[in-house]
Amino acid sequence: FRNEGVGCVLSSLKLKKALSYADTTGFVYAVIVGEKEIESGLLKLRNLREGSEKDLKLNDIINEVKK
């Protein structure tokens, strides 16, 4: 992400706490990477403002976030 000019923060917090932190600090998106996502090759992109979520490949996530 950073190599593509997209700021990011990595977290090892539990999912609920990490999403709460991201939301309260003003992040628009959260990328969720778990075992299922690694196996499928699709990561979850959650829009914290809208509450929507999409399963996308990494390059597609970068393009979506840059919009």
Side-chain angles (χ1 to χ4, degrees), residues 16-60:
K16 191 172 183 176
K17 285 186 180 184
L19 291 174
S20 176
Y21 170 79
D23 190 37
T24 58
T25 54
F27 285 87
V28 177
Y29 295 103
V31 178
I32 301 167
V33 183
E35 289 180 27
K36 290 179 185 177
E37 290 77 21
I38 292 170
E39 288 175 13
S40 71
L42 296 173
L43 310 178
K44 292 199 180 297
L45 177 66
R46 184 175 292 179
N47 184 317
L48 299 173
R49 291 187 182 157
E50 298 174 2
S52 62
E53 191 171 276
K54 298 178 185 179
D55 292 334
L56 300 168
K57 292 182 180 181
L58 180 60
N59 287 338
D60 296 331

Side-chain angles (χ1 to χ4, degrees), residues 8-19:
C8 65
V9 174
L10 300 175
S11 175
S12 61
L13 296 171
K14 297 285 185 184
L15 181 59
K16 191 172 183 176
K17 285 186 180 184
L19 291 174

